[in-house]
């Protein structure tokens, strides 16, 4: 199938051609015709499948099909996203695909000055991309009018629920006109998503492009079983030895991100941390530097990295495995996007084995182990004793998890005689990590 078979008008096809897209991705093939028919959809599409164009292109087309509104254009399509980064990204996509059509888009999200957003909104916007919290602020201040909204998109709805946005979303939906077309995109189908879909969608067409929770086939996945204390050194070595130019590294906590970043800088690796405690300006700068290849490694927490679209990102490293197995799929979805080859490496310490098994259970497959890690082999075995359950859903306060991690390490050092007597020098790599970034 080609884009020209999709009943999109010439200016949209031109923008697609300028992006170099040759044919629609499976989610686009399925979703675009259905959305153009005016149907609600429930789309199970993970990030990296081209889902953004899958809803943006038909939305632009549907708006173009309508009589041109008077200026300032009222908001006719509302797209809600969980994070500011995803909001920016979707907004950029709308602008890219809509660059040859006379439609306006705006984006609003928290963490930046609201007054500038208010001023921009006053100029009118056909499509508004927003995070729920900031949109509610604007609604309460009567600075945005949603009375003309005919299209609602919930992008990465599962993540919005994980982040506790359900109440905000419901408040926003209550404000919207009842007659509208609803598009719900979610990488996973939890009970909560199914419930929301039942309440929100009218006779939806279900679109699913990958098996629930399946990882993209274009990503090669590997596990390094390694003691926690050697992870940083191994990561430096992998970057330097393989001469990686761009690697996204996931850690579980904000403090963990900052600490790892400081350590990598000492190893001569250019890197920045991306997490929720950073100001929006700092987050944008870090992301831009990463996209421009000014830094080699971006160290990110799950929330901050959600929805990031960095073209052809070749390497993703799970420095820590996520507490919620589904996040693994989102993380590795950063690589191997839209058919490009990608590599996802997980550094797994014995105490994280249960998280790895949860991921493998969800994927219904075993992730290959690297036989020779260069370090003393460690076994990843199921826990015999019951351990406290990992927190589900939200990435809780960074401090909490961080502290748990610390005390866990200290205990094992103090209490386990083998650990105390194991000579790290022996266990360490004989290969020295070389300085990867020459000045
Ligand atoms: P998304 O899943 O929407 O985040 O998109 C993932 C990536 O796929 C983005 O970098 C898009 O630019 C790219 N993309 C979207 N549609 C296509 C297409 N039809 N052909 C090639 N790349 C695409």
């Amino acid at each position: 199938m080609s884009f020209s078979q999709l009943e999109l008008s010439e200016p949209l096809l031109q923008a697609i051609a300028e992006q170099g897209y040759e044919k629609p991705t499976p989610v686009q093939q399925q979703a675009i015709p259905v959305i153009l028919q005016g149907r609600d959809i429930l789309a199970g599409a993970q990030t990296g499948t081209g889902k953004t164009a899958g809803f943006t292109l038909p939305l632009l087309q549907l708006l173009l099909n309508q009589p041109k509104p008077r200026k300032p254009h009222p908001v006719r399509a509302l797209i809600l996203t969980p994070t500011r980064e995803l909001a920016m990204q979707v907004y950029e996509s709308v602008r890219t695909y809509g660059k040859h059509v006379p439609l306006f888009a705006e984006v609003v999200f928290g963490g930046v000055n609201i007054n500038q957003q208010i001023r921009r909104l006053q100029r009118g916007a056909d499509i508004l991309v927003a995070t729920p919290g900031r949109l509610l602020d604007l609604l309460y201040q009567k600075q945005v009018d949603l009375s003309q909204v005919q299209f609602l998109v919930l992008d990465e709805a599962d993540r919005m629920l994980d982040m506790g946005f359900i109440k905000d979303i419901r408040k926003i939906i209550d404000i919207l006109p009842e007659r509208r077309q609803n598009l719900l995109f979610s990488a996973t189908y939890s009970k909560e998503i199914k419930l929301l879909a039942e309440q929100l969608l009218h006779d939806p067409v279900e679109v699913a492009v990958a098996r629930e929770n399946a990882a993209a086939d274009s990503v090669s996945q590997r596990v390094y079983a390694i003691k926690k204390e050697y992870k940083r050194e191994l990561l430096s070595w992998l970057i330097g030895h393989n001469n990686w130019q761009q690697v996204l590294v996931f850690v579980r906590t904000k403090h963990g991100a900052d600490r790892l970043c400081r350590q990598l800088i000492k190893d001569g690796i250019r890197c920045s941390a991306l997490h929720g405690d950073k100001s929006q300006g700092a987050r944008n700068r870090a992301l831009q530097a990463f996209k421009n290849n000014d830094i080699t490694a971006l160290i990110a927490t799950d929330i901050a990295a959600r929805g990031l679209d960095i073209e052809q990102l070749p390497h993703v490293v799970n420095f820590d495995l996520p507490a919620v197995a589904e996040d693994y799929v989102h993380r590795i979805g950063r690589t191997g996007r839209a058919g490009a080859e990608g590599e996802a490496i997980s550094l797994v310490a014995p105490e994280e084995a249960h998280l790895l098994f949860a991921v493998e259970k969800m994927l219904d497959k075993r992730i290959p182990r690297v036989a020779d890690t260069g370090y003393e082999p460690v076994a990843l075995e199921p826990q015999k004793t019951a351990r406290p359950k990992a927190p589900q859903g939200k990435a809780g306060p960074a401090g909490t998890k961080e502290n748990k991690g610390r005390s866990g390490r200290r205990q094992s050092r103090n209490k386990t005689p083998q650990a105390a007597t194991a000579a790290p020098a022996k266990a360490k790599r004989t290969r020295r990590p070389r300085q990867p970034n020459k000045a």
Side-chain angles (χ1 to χ4, degrees):
M1 181 189 259
S2 73
F3 275 107
S4 54
Q5 289 167 280
L6 282 175
E7 297 187 30
L8 297 169
S9 55
E10 204 42 53
L12 296 179
L13 293 175
Q14 191 187 335
I16 294 167
E18 286 167 8
Q19 285 305 295
Y21 301 168
E22 284 165 10
K23 59 182 178 66
T25 63
V27 70
Q28 292 163 2
Q29 291 183 24
Q30 292 183 48
I32 294 175
V34 176
I35 299 172
L36 288 174
Q37 282 165 19
R39 298 283 302 271
D40 280 7
I41 64 167
L42 173 60
Q46 63 195 67
T47 199
T49 53
K51 66 182 169 62
T52 316
F55 62 76
T56 304
L57 288 167
L59 272 186
L60 288 164
Q61 185 63 53
L62 288 167
L63 293 173
L64 280 177
N65 295 348
Q66 298 186 353
K68 211 173 160 191
R70 281 215 213 110
K71 284 188 180 171
H73 291 195
V75 177
R76 288 181 286 162
L78 175 65
I79 304 171
L80 293 180
T81 72
T83 63
R84 322 172 218 195
E85 278 78 13
L86 186 59
M88 270 307 287
Q89 220 159 267
V90 171
Y91 167 72
E92 275 163 21
S93 295
V94 175
R95 294 200 13 139
T96 303
Y97 304 131
K99 69 173 161 195
H100 302 301
V101 298
L103 295 168
F104 302 103
E106 268 310 338
V107 59
V108 294
F109 46 75
V112 292
N113 189 313
I114 199 166
N115 294 323
Q116 280 178 7
Q117 293 179 347
I118 291 172
R119 275 197 295 281
R120 289 211 320 270
L121 283 173
Q122 283 163 355
R123 298 187 307 213
D126 301 277
I127 299 181
L128 178 60
V129 186
T131 53
R134 176 52 60 97
L135 183 63
L136 272 182
D137 285 347
L138 288 160
L139 281 165
Y140 292 145
Q141 295 187 29
K142 299 205 182 333
Q143 296 295 348
V144 61
D145 176 9
L146 299 182
S147 64
Q148 309 292 312
V149 169
Q150 304 160 40
F151 307 97
L152 170 68
V153 182
L154 298 187
D155 192 14
E156 303 206 350
D158 48 348
R159 176 50 49 137
M160 285 203 271
L161 299 197
D162 284 351
M163 289 171 70
F165 284 141
I166 187 66
K167 277 195 188 143
D168 288 354
I169 291 172
R170 287 192 196 284
K171 280 183 201 157
I172 294 165
I173 291 173
D174 280 349
I175 292 166
L176 300 179
E178 272 191 24
R179 260 181 75 92
R180 48 162 213 273
Q181 187 177 352
N182 302 295
L183 316 176
L184 193 154
F185 283 78
S186 183
T188 52
Y189 285 146
S190 61
K191 259 193 236 138
E192 291 76 18
I193 287 289
K194 285 182 186 146
L195 183 69
L196 180 67
E198 269 169 37
Q199 294 164 341
L200 180 73
L201 305 175
H202 303 285
D203 189 20
V205 176
E206 286 197 31
V207 173
V209 290
R211 192 171 57 80
E212 202 171 318
N213 293 335
D217 290 338
S218 53
V219 182
S220 89
Q221 304 169 57
R222 280 180 293 149
V223 162
Y224 280 78
I226 181 167
K227 280 188 178 171
K228 208 167 191 159
E229 56 265 42
Y230 300 137
K231 280 188 178 185
R232 196 269 307 143
E233 190 185 85
L234 174 61
L235 175 61
S236 285
W237 185 83
L238 284 168
I239 294 173
H241 178 75
N242 298 306
N243 198 18
W244 287 350
Q245 300 298 318
Q246 210 184 26
V247 51
L248 179 59
V249 180
F250 283 97
V251 295
R252 276 184 60 189
T253 67
K254 300 169 193 175
H255 296 303
D258 284 334
R259 190 177 50 223
L260 179 60
C261 193
R262 282 195 301 272
Q263 291 169 332
L264 290 183
I265 288 171
K266 279 190 194 149
D267 288 345
I269 294 166
R270 292 166 301 173
C271 76
S272 283
L274 186 78
H275 57 65
D277 278 356
K278 298 255 172 187
S279 69
Q280 189 58 34
R283 286 159 75 168
N284 290 346
R285 278 195 299 279
L287 191 57
Q288 208 47 53
F290 190 55
K291 285 186 176 182
N292 295 345
N293 282 310
D294 293 337
I295 55 172
T296 305
L298 187 64
I299 318 293
T301 56
D302 284 293
I303 300 274
R306 182 76 180 176
L308 289 188
D309 180 20
I310 298 138
E311 254 170 65
Q312 294 177 342
L313 181 58
H315 310 284
V316 166
V317 171
N318 294 307
F319 192 82
D320 303 317
L321 279 178
V324 181
E326 282 80 13
D327 280 343
Y328 178 87
V329 177
H330 299 310
R331 288 177 174 194
I332 74 164
R334 316 284 104 215
T335 175
R337 293 166 82 72
E341 288 285 306
E343 179 181 43
I345 286 179
S346 301
L347 311 187
V348 185
E351 53 271 44
E352 291 171 297
H354 63 293
L355 299 173
L356 176 66
F357 299 139
V359 167
E360 292 184 327
K361 192 168 168 213
M362 179 194 65
L363 297 176
D364 195 19
K365 75 170 191 187
R366 188 173 185 276
I367 304 172
R369 287 13 174 202
V370 172
D372 178 13
T373 61
Y375 289 83
E376 173 190 20
V378 295
L380 300 177
E381 284 164 2
Q383 291 284 314
K384 291 194 181 72
T385 49
R387 57 163 50 243
K389 263 198 160 179
Q392 288 293 311
K394 291 179 209 177
T400 331
K401 285 182 198 160
E402 185 75 0
N403 293 340
K404 264 189 211 157
R406 282 212 187 111
S407 64
R409 273 209 304 281
R410 220 176 283 130
Q411 270 174 12
S412 67
R413 277 203 190 128
N414 294 343
K415 289 188 185 162
T416 319
Q418 300 95 305
T421 51
K426 240 191 200 171
K428 276 191 180 181
R429 269 182 188 280
T430 40
R431 297 170 274 200
R432 290 270 314 148
R434 77 174 170 81
Q435 298 291 304
N437 291 311
K438 288 157 257 151

